[in-house]
Structures are given as structure tokens and as C-alpha cells.
Amino acid sequence: MRKNDKKRDNQIRLGLTAVCEHALNAYPGFAWITHIVDYDLYPKSLRIVCIFDTETQLRQCSQNGDKAALLELIKCTLAKDGIEFKNINQHVSFDTETACEQQHKGNWALRLNERKHIANLH
């Protein structure tokens, strides 16, 4: 990773940490957040994944408008560091601990790696 890439990755990580701290208190079932990026294809390759505990909690988040609020929080927080998105929905996805457990036996590294390759196909 190039020096510039490390700096940008740190900015993303710090921004998402702030989002995570807020989301843990604001959105029931929110568990954690992560990102995946290939800096050779940045910014197009940046993917942010918001993880909830259960499918029911994720569905409730969407139904009561919290999903839109979380997307806006991510967008505004990262924009402070000059990381901007034309369409935030193309860069942020949602997942659950239960889905990972069922489909990948809890192996998040495998699950996120598969998601990265799927996302780059589009």
C-alpha cells in the first residue's frame, strides 16, 4: 500500500469509527461497520458494510427511516475528510451477523471477500 493510500485508509477508518460509536447508541441492533477498498480502483472500489445483529433488526432499521439516517451520517462524516460519493447507495451495503453465521459459518473474512468480488462485477 502506498503512503497516500495508507493516509486515506486511516481517514476512512477514523470516520467510520465515529459513525460506529454513534450508531451503536442510535440504531437498535447495529453491531459494527467495516470497509473494503482496492486503492488501484479508488474511489469506485470503496465499499462500506454496516452490520446488524439480526435480519429483523436490519428490516426495522429500514422501515423506520434509520437506514437513510445512517447513510447520511456516513456520507457527511466522510465528506469532512474529502471523501465524497455521487451515490452513497452504490458504496454502502448492509448485512447481519445471523446471515454470516448461516451462510459462512461466521467467517467474516470469507464473506467480505466474496462481497468485494461481487461488487466489482457491477
Side-chain angles (χ1 to χ4, degrees), residues 41-52:
L41 301 171
Y42 181 85
K44 183 180 177 184
S45 68
L46 178 59
R47 302 287 183 257
I48 298 165
V49 185
C50 299
I51 314 299
F52 281 76

Side-chain angles (χ1 to χ4, degrees), residues 1-2 5 8-9 12 35 37-42 45:
M1 187 181 293
R2 297 175 297 251
D5 296 340
R8 184 171 289 127
D9 198 69
I12 294 168
H35 72 286
V37 63
D38 176 350
Y39 283 104
D40 290 332
L41 301 171
Y42 181 85
S45 68

Side-chain angles (χ1 to χ4, degrees), residues 52-61 94-100 102-103 111:
F52 281 76
D53 289 324
T54 68
E55 298 294 328
T56 301
Q57 291 167 323
L58 178 55
R59 198 169 29 257
Q60 288 172 343
C61 178
F94 295 84
D95 206 342
T96 66
E97 291 282 1
T98 54
C100 181
Q102 291 169 354
Q103 298 165 11
R111 186 170 183 82

Side-chain angles (χ1 to χ4, degrees), residues 38-119:
D38 176 350
Y39 283 104
D40 290 332
L41 301 171
Y42 181 85
K44 183 180 177 184
S45 68
L46 178 59
R47 302 287 183 257
I48 298 165
V49 185
C50 299
I51 314 299
F52 281 76
D53 289 324
T54 68
E55 298 294 328
T56 301
Q57 291 167 323
L58 178 55
R59 198 169 29 257
Q60 288 172 343
C61 178
S62 185
Q63 289 172 347
N64 64 19
D66 287 342
K67 189 173 176 181
L70 184 52
L71 287 169
E72 187 63 22
L73 177 63
I74 293 167
K75 183 177 178 180
C76 290
T77 300
L78 294 181
K80 292 176 187 175
D81 288 319
I83 302 164
E84 299 188 24
F85 304 98
K86 289 183 182 179
N87 183 350
I88 189 79
N89 293 306
Q90 292 178 344
H91 295 274
V92 179
S93 61
F94 295 84
D95 206 342
T96 66
E97 291 282 1
T98 54
C100 181
E101 189 62 40
Q102 291 169 354
Q103 298 165 11
H104 292 90
K105 297 186 182 4
N107 186 338
W108 276 104
L110 176 62
R111 186 170 183 82
L112 293 171
N113 192 44
E114 286 181 4
R115 293 173 66 89
K116 179 180 174 183
H117 292 298
I118 292 168

